[in-house]
Amino acid sequence: MESSENRNRLLRQYRWFKCEELKKSPFHFLFASESHLDPKPHQINAFCTAVDAIKTGGIVLADEVGLGKTIEAGLVLSYMRKSGAKKVLIALPASLRKQWELELDDKFNLKSVILDRLTVEHDAEGWYKKLTDESFLIVITSYDYSSKLMKRFPDVKWDFLIIDEAHNLRNLNGTKRAKRLHELSGGIPKILLTATPLQNSLMDLYGLVSFIDPRIFGSEQMFRHLYMKDENYDDLKRELTPVLYRTLRKDTADYMHFAKRICKTADFELSQDEIELYKRVNQFLKRDNLYSIPTSNRGLVILVIRKLMASSSFALVETLEVLKKRLEKLHEGTRSADAQEGFNLFWSFVEDEIDESGFEEIEDADTAAQKTCIQDELDEVNAIIDAAMRVKTNSKVVALKQALENGFSHQKNNGIAQKAVVFTESKRTQNYIAAELRKSGYSEEDILQFNGDFDDTMTKGIYRAWQVKNPGNTDYGRNVEYKHAIVDYFKENAKILISTDAGSEGLNLQFCNMVINYDLPWNPMKIEQRIGRCHRYGQQNDVVAINLLNTQNEADKRVYEILSKKFELFEGVFGASDIALGVLESGTSFEKMVLDIYQNCNTPDEFEREFDKLDRKLNAKGYKNVRKLRDILITESSGAKKQALERTKENIDRYLQEVTYWDKVPSMDPVNDLQYWEVDDWGEQTVGAHGYLFLGAMYNNVDLLFPALLLCDHEGRYIDFDEDDLVPELEKIDDSAIRYFKPTAEESTLFQEININLGSEMLDRLEKQTEPVREYNRRKIENWIRIQSEQIEAQRQEMLAEVEALHNEERTSSSFYEKMDLRKKTAQKEKELEVFQASFPERNNRFRTEGEREIAEFNKNLETDNPMLLIKIVLKF
């Protein structure tokens, strides 16, 4: 629409109705002043898709990592608030509660409250009032407490539910928290957020979609029968399309800049002392019996020791001291329940739950033989400690110094800030690295250590300084505030951040483009998280991932090769391959596979053979089954996705153009009563005839649904000109050409008839707006009816098979009494089958009746209570 200086009264009258419509558009919430966002096309597309999906139960937003699922959910949340929602519940891992509270406040200006059992029970009556009143309230809580809160206050009407990291709740039969929340949240519109809606089994999708609406797939048995038995994936994708939205990073490449990853290795060789230490520890960990490690947790503790052995000799000594103390106590005759001092050292190194009861196992009565074995093991541990103490400098740290020197030189030459983040799994190694780097000439201010403990003098000082500089941002919670302070200090002052994995969670370091894995985890997910601290949206430079590699160790080299080539962790634009990571049930499963190889192989040939097997296993599992499963998530082709994003951009552009256009039209209060205006010559120029223009809006009671600008010829026949056709023509009318007129009796009658006809036209338009939603709901429920009928038939087939099996058993039996018993059982089963078959018509009719009732109720809820076309101005031309 072109701008015009001559803004006549017709446009000014229509402006009021049009601006009211624009305020109701979902796009209005995207560009509202209280939001501090510039949403990307895929986020807007996800938002629009979710807004529609909420009407029929909800959706799974499953964008790949780093594309802003939280922003998408926040946009929907803002929309729900403006649309009248009062109570919103957000369920997520406990560790993410504060992060969500801050993001909602910072990005959407939405205040929320974090609730847990202690908070609620401290003032149960007060919280009941807050949860049941008419005010708007966003509640953030953990998975476990979300269902407890709903059960604690069953009167609360939750209008909307968001579940973050929803893959944690995909197993409805496996975890109580998933089952409880699923049962209690039925009927509440919801959005589920997860980057991994499908890992290894289609049942993952079944669990997630059942949260949205259990009728989509029916029973677990029928889901397996319909989609898994014959790999009927085309039908499955069709059912997923309305309830799962997924964007891949490659889909956004046209408008989002992702820096590349560049891989480099810093090779080193162990000294003779380090080789001796490695051999001693390796032999020790392969002993058949280890009294120093509780049997129930042996695999996990051995994994930790191998991680620490790869980290540094100094980290290893601390661990061996723990084993030594346990052995000494056991040798003294102390029960193992009292011999676990120091074992909390292992807790932070494993993702699995450690069975603490395993440390309390009761030993048999002490015997001389046991004491001899314990003493033998103690002697070996002492020998390892002595060997570790002889190592004064680790060869790996020399390689680190050279890698930093090369990296900083490259950054300086290319005008990039000299920054590097060094990751290690051990606090002891962290301290060792810092000390060695300071010996090499780096200043105190150059080096920053972070492990999440916040207890060292430097970190406390940085935090206090940050509080002074940020007086308005110090109500985030200690954990979050410390991380803000660390990131700010690293960005403005330090050159090197040495961090553990525990400390790195939640750190956004896109201003740093060098990541060094001092020790390389075997868990691909953990490596991806490390590099993802720097390789994320907003990173302007290519990210260099440097891995320190022991070239003498063939096993280490093979692990690195798999992590690099198979999982595609270190090269490319988009990070770890979605397909490759999908091979694993979790990163820890790969860790355990690698640990088994290290534990059970002794010769180079054995290592080579087992790693070749692992490689083949990943190939077979990953690039056939997993790729096929991953493709199910892509419910539209890359081309279709691109077109959808382009359409969204076009719709946004059109919306913004309309807002700009109507903002420039001077405002004017709408006329109170129906008015009749007349203008000469305009009609012949516009439509080549005389007629009438009707200006007003379609209402539902007092709520404006959409404006109406309707054209009829002189006989009252509707002419299908839309707003885009008419507004430019209205611009040509000058106020001085408009005059009032009084309709004749014939015209009054004609206007009444026209009003009725136009009202029907607007009702049809209203019907078309809701038709896609009604049609999808009808199809979903009719599909559910069909699934119920198929389930009944499947039960019938099972009963027939049982009867046939009994007949066969009777025919082959040689015992008279056994035959008589089988005949009796067969007769009973046949009677049950007959009764079951007789119930078919009644059952099917019941399902059909129930389904039709639900369809009717749904359609009724979409209907407007009192739709009417309200005409304010009739323009005669």
Side-chain angles (χ1 to χ4, degrees):
M1 297 174 184
E2 296 295 328
S3 175
S4 172
E5 293 298 321
N6 181 21
R7 298 299 186 188
N8 59 52
R9 283 180 293 165
L10 276 165
L11 285 179
R12 293 172 71 187
Q13 284 293 316
Y14 190 66
R15 175 193 188 277
W16 191 90
F17 298 113
K18 187 64 184 177
C19 287
E20 288 299 303
E21 180 194 40
L22 291 173
K23 287 178 188 175
K24 289 177 177 291
S25 166
F27 292 142
H28 175 73
F29 301 98
L30 298 177
F31 304 105
S33 59
E34 63 263 28
S35 173
H36 313 309
L37 293 171
D38 177 22
K40 304 302 175 190
H42 71 277
Q43 294 168 343
I44 297 171
N45 214 27
F47 161 74
C48 295
T49 305
V51 164
D52 284 339
I54 284 169
K55 298 168 187 172
T56 55
I59 197 166
V60 181
L61 296 180
D63 291 352
E64 277 191 305
V65 173
L67 294 182
K69 291 183 292 298
T70 307
I71 289 173
E72 295 166 2
L75 293 171
V76 177
L77 182 50
S78 296
Y79 176 82
M80 293 296 288
R81 179 192 181 186
K82 297 285 180 66
S83 300
K86 299 297 183 184
K87 298 295 182 286
V88 177
L89 184 64
I90 302 177
L92 34 63
S95 61
L96 298 179
R97 291 176 300 180
K98 197 68 184 179
Q99 181 180 322
W100 263 80
E101 182 189 29
L102 296 176
E103 290 221 8
L104 289 177
D105 187 15
D106 180 53
K107 291 188 171 75
F108 301 97
N109 198 28
L110 291 171
K111 303 297 180 185
S112 56
V113 60
I114 296 173
L115 290 187
D116 55 28
R117 187 182 61 81
L118 292 175
T119 305
V120 169
E121 296 307 325
H122 181 70
D123 183 17
E125 187 176 339
W127 280 111
Y128 175 75
K129 289 179 181 176
K130 289 176 184 176
L131 291 167
T132 52
D133 65 19
E134 286 299 306
S135 63
F136 179 72
L137 182 65
I138 301 172
V139 173
I140 300 174
T141 186
S142 67
Y143 294 139
D144 289 323
Y145 192 66
S146 59
S147 55
K148 292 173 184 173
L149 181 67
M150 296 172 92
K151 204 167 184 179
R152 178 74 172 80
F153 300 120
D155 296 340
V156 178
K157 181 184 179 299
W158 298 103
D159 298 296
F160 184 46
L161 174 61
I162 295 174
I163 302 176
D164 195 14
E165 303 293 342
H167 50 271
N168 292 314
L169 302 179
R170 66 187 183 274
N171 189 349
L172 297 181
N173 294 322
T175 59
K176 288 182 180 178
R177 66 185 181 186
K179 188 176 182 181
R180 282 196 300 261
L181 187 56
H182 176 255
E183 290 171 349
L184 290 167
S185 67
I188 302 174
K190 52 183 75 74
I191 286 181
L192 278 59
L193 307 177
T194 173
T196 53
L198 173 59
Q199 287 187 289
N200 269 325
S201 169
L202 285 184
M203 295 310 298
D204 297 345
L205 287 177
Y206 173 82
L208 292 177
V209 172
S210 293
F211 258 101
I212 302 296
D213 190 338
R215 294 171 305 183
I216 293 173
F217 288 143
S219 70
E220 185 177 316
Q221 178 189 9
M222 284 308 297
F223 179 81
R224 292 180 185 277
H225 174 73
L226 290 173
Y227 304 113
M228 297 176 71
K229 184 180 176 183
D230 299 320
E231 297 188 354
N232 189 4
Y233 295 160
D234 288 340
D235 285 353
L236 177 57
K237 287 178 77 163
R238 187 173 61 251
E239 296 302 326
L240 283 174
T241 299
V243 289
L244 187 139
Y245 180 89
R246 182 168 175 81
T247 302
L248 305 179
R249 280 171 285 194
K250 66 181 182 181
D251 296 328
T252 67
D254 288 344
Y255 55 86
M256 290 181 77
H257 170 72
F258 289 96
K260 292 180 182 177
R261 293 184 183 186
I262 299 171
C263 175
K264 293 186 180 296
T265 58
D267 299 342
F268 65 93
E269 292 186 358
L270 299 179
S271 66
Q272 285 304 311
D273 286 340
E274 287 175 306
I275 291 171
E276 181 190 348
L277 175 61
Y278 182 91
K279 286 180 178 178
R280 282 185 175 275
V281 176
N282 194 43
Q283 289 169 356
F284 172 74
L285 294 178
K286 291 183 176 182
R287 288 174 66 117
D288 292 333
N289 293 310
L290 281 170
Y291 290 90
S292 55
I293 301 174
T295 306
S296 60
N297 288 302
R298 178 168 176 166
L300 288 174
V301 174
I302 286 175
L303 176 62
V304 170
I305 294 172
R306 286 200 175 274
K307 286 182 179 184
L308 295 173
M309 182 167 63
S311 180
S312 72
S313 59
F314 306 95
L316 191 59
V317 168
E318 183 182 21
T319 310
L320 292 167
E321 292 288 355
V322 173
L323 302 186
K324 178 180 176 180
K325 285 180 183 177
R326 176 174 167 86
L327 287 168
E328 286 174 342
K329 289 194 173 186
L330 290 175
H331 192 267
E332 290 168 5
T334 308
R335 289 185 180 274
S336 61
D338 302 313
Q340 55 178 318
E341 183 183 339
F343 268 85
N344 60 340
L345 174 75
F346 293 91
W347 277 206
S348 62
F349 288 99
V350 291
E351 289 78 45
D352 292 23
E353 290 291 325
I354 283 191
D355 178 14
E356 296 187 41
S357 63
F359 290 86
E360 299 171 4
E361 58 195 7
I362 304 302
E363 308 287 345
D364 294 329
D366 289 338
T367 63
Q370 280 182 317
K371 289 215 169 200
T372 300
C373 293
I374 292 170
Q375 182 62 57
D376 180 55
E377 189 174 328
L378 184 56
D379 291 343
E380 190 169 352
V381 169
N382 280 322
I384 295 172
I385 292 172
D386 290 342
M389 298 299 286
R390 287 196 294 273
V391 179
K392 302 303 180 186
T393 301
N394 287 172
S395 302
K396 189 193 287 189
V397 85
V398 178
L400 171 65
K401 292 174 185 177
Q402 187 61 54
L404 285 168
E405 185 179 332
N406 294 341
F408 286 150
S409 176
H410 174 80
Q411 288 173 334
K412 185 178 179 181
N413 293 337
N414 288 275
I416 301 170
Q418 290 182 294
K419 305 282 179 189
V421 56
V422 180
F423 282 108
T424 176
E425 296 194 277
S426 163
K427 294 176 189 176
R428 179 69 69 91
T429 302
Q430 189 184 37
N431 292 332
Y432 167 68
I433 293 170
E436 286 291 319
L437 292 178
R438 289 188 177 109
K439 286 180 192 176
S440 299
Y442 291 100
S443 69
E444 287 290 327
E445 292 73 23
D446 284 338
I447 299 169
L448 179 61
Q449 292 177 240
F450 191 62
N451 53 41
D453 283 351
F454 320 118
D455 55 1
D456 64 282
T457 304
M458 186 175 182
T459 302
K460 288 178 180 177
I462 290 170
Y463 176 55
R464 284 193 294 271
W466 179 85
Q467 284 180 307
V468 173
K469 291 179 183 176
N470 298 272
N473 296 329
T474 54
D475 189 26
Y476 291 166
R478 181 171 176 268
N479 190 19
V480 175
E481 289 171 14
Y482 264 103
K483 288 181 177 180
H484 278 309
I486 288 293
V487 170
D488 285 358
Y489 186 86
F490 181 36
K491 185 175 183 179
E492 301 299 330
N493 301 288
K495 293 177 71 173
I496 303 167
L497 171 63
I498 308 171
S499 178
T500 63
D501 292 302
S504 73
E505 290 179 5
L507 298 184
N508 296 328
L509 308 173
Q510 55 266 58
F511 54 85
C512 171
N513 80 316
M514 180 166 30
V515 179
I516 301 178
N517 290 305
Y518 188 80
D519 36 49
L520 192 63
W522 293 342
N523 184 338
M525 308 290 192
K526 187 174 283 188
I527 299 171
E528 179 62 27
Q529 287 164 0
R530 284 181 174 188
I531 302 175
R533 298 298 96 216
C534 299
H535 186 247
R536 57 199 303 110
Y537 184 65
Q539 173 62 258
Q540 298 302 309
N541 303 295
D542 292 344
V543 173
V544 181
I546 302 173
N547 303 292
L548 305 183
L549 187 62
N550 178 4
T551 55
Q552 295 165 302
N553 191 315
E554 290 300 323
D556 287 359
K557 287 162 71 175
R558 284 299 298 271
V559 172
Y560 172 75
E561 182 184 314
I562 291 174
L563 291 171
S564 177
K565 304 301 181 188
K566 193 69 63 184
F567 294 105
E568 304 168 29
L569 286 163
F570 307 118
E571 299 277 4
V573 175
F574 300 118
S577 161
D578 187 52
I579 299 292
L581 289 180
V583 171
L584 309 174
E585 292 176 14
S586 68
T588 55
S589 64
F590 180 74
E591 268 187 334
K592 288 170 184 173
M593 287 188 277
V594 173
L595 177 63
D596 285 343
I597 295 175
Y598 274 83
Q599 280 295 104
N600 298 315
C601 296
N602 296 300
T603 67
D605 286 345
E606 289 176 351
F607 274 108
E608 185 175 358
R609 186 167 59 250
E610 291 304 312
F611 273 114
D612 284 346
K613 274 188 196 175
L614 176 58
D615 200 42
R616 288 194 297 272
K617 183 177 181 181
L618 292 174
N619 271 335
K621 196 176 182 184
Y623 294 93
K624 292 178 183 175
N625 185 42
V626 174
R627 183 175 291 279
K628 192 185 292 184
L629 294 181
R630 276 298 190 276
D631 285 345
I632 293 169
L633 300 176
I634 311 303
T635 53
E636 55 185 347
S637 68
S638 181
K641 169 69 78 173
K642 193 168 184 177
Q643 288 177 4
L645 294 176
E646 285 298 324
R647 280 196 303 272
T648 298
K649 288 172 70 176
E650 289 170 5
N651 291 337
I652 293 168
D653 289 342
R654 175 180 170 79
Y655 171 80
L656 293 175
Q657 286 170 10
E658 287 189 319
V659 169
T660 301
Y661 176 86
W662 291 107
D663 277 350
K664 289 179 180 177
V665 175
S667 61
M668 180 180 185
D669 291 334
V671 295
N672 292 321
D673 301 317
L674 175 62
Q675 296 191 6
Y676 298 94
W677 298 356
E678 187 174 12
V679 65
D680 294 329
D681 300 328
W682 179 77
E684 290 184 3
Q685 297 171 11
T686 305
V687 295
H690 298 288
Y692 305 95
L693 179 75
F694 294 83
L695 187 154
M698 191 72 176
Y699 278 83
N700 177 40
N701 293 319
V702 295
D703 293 331
L704 184 144
L705 298 174
F706 50 81
L709 200 58
L710 306 167
L711 198 67
C712 292
D713 64 17
H714 68 285
E715 293 181 355
R717 290 188 294 264
Y718 173 64
I719 303 173
D720 190 12
F721 276 31
D722 61 22
E723 184 183 290
D724 288 344
D725 299 321
L726 291 172
V727 168
E729 297 301 322
L730 291 178
E731 284 188 336
K732 300 173 183 177
I733 300 177
D734 192 279
D735 276 356
S736 61
I738 297 176
R739 60 187 179 275
Y740 293 97
F741 81 95
K742 184 176 180 180
T744 64
E746 289 181 353
E747 284 180 322
S748 295
T749 302
L750 178 63
F751 291 160
Q752 290 176 0
E753 293 174 0
I754 291 174
N755 201 53
I756 294 170
N757 293 336
L758 292 180
S760 298
E761 189 72 33
M762 293 300 97
L763 285 174
D764 288 345
R765 185 184 298 183
L766 196 60
E767 190 88 353
K768 287 176 182 176
Q769 287 181 351
T770 60
E771 186 176 0
V773 176
R774 287 184 286 107
E775 181 56 33
Y776 169 64
N777 184 67
R778 170 174 286 279
R779 190 173 65 79
K780 179 172 67 175
I781 291 178
E782 287 180 344
N783 186 53
W784 172 78
I785 294 169
R786 178 182 60 79
I787 289 173
Q788 299 308 307
S789 297
E790 289 179 358
Q791 188 160 339
I792 293 173
E793 176 58 24
Q795 285 179 258
R796 189 181 79 87
Q797 292 296 333
E798 286 179 9
M799 294 175 77
L800 277 170
E802 287 180 26
V803 170
E804 184 60 30
L806 287 170
H807 277 305
N808 288 336
E809 210 175 329
E810 180 194 344
R811 282 193 292 270
T812 57
S813 175
S814 58
S815 166
F816 172 77
Y817 294 105
E818 187 179 29
K819 281 180 179 287
M820 293 300 293
D821 185 50
L822 287 168
R823 281 178 192 169
K824 189 183 293 184
K825 286 182 181 178
T826 304
Q828 178 64 30
K829 285 289 180 185
E830 287 176 333
K831 188 174 181 181
E832 291 174 7
L833 177 59
E834 187 179 339
V835 171
F836 184 76
Q837 289 182 146
S839 71
F840 268 27
E842 187 273 330
R843 285 173 182 247
N844 284 325
N845 187 54
R846 189 170 73 243
F847 292 137
R848 172 61 59 183
T849 302
E850 183 181 342
E852 291 297 339
R853 178 182 55 78
E854 288 195 25
I855 291 170
E857 286 180 1
F858 183 85
N859 291 346
K860 188 176 181 182
N861 289 333
L862 286 179
E863 289 175 2
T864 48
D865 299 328
N866 185 26
M868 57 183 175
L869 176 62
L870 185 62
I871 298 298
K872 288 289 187 177
I873 296 171
V874 176
L875 179 72
K876 180 180 179 181
F877 57 85

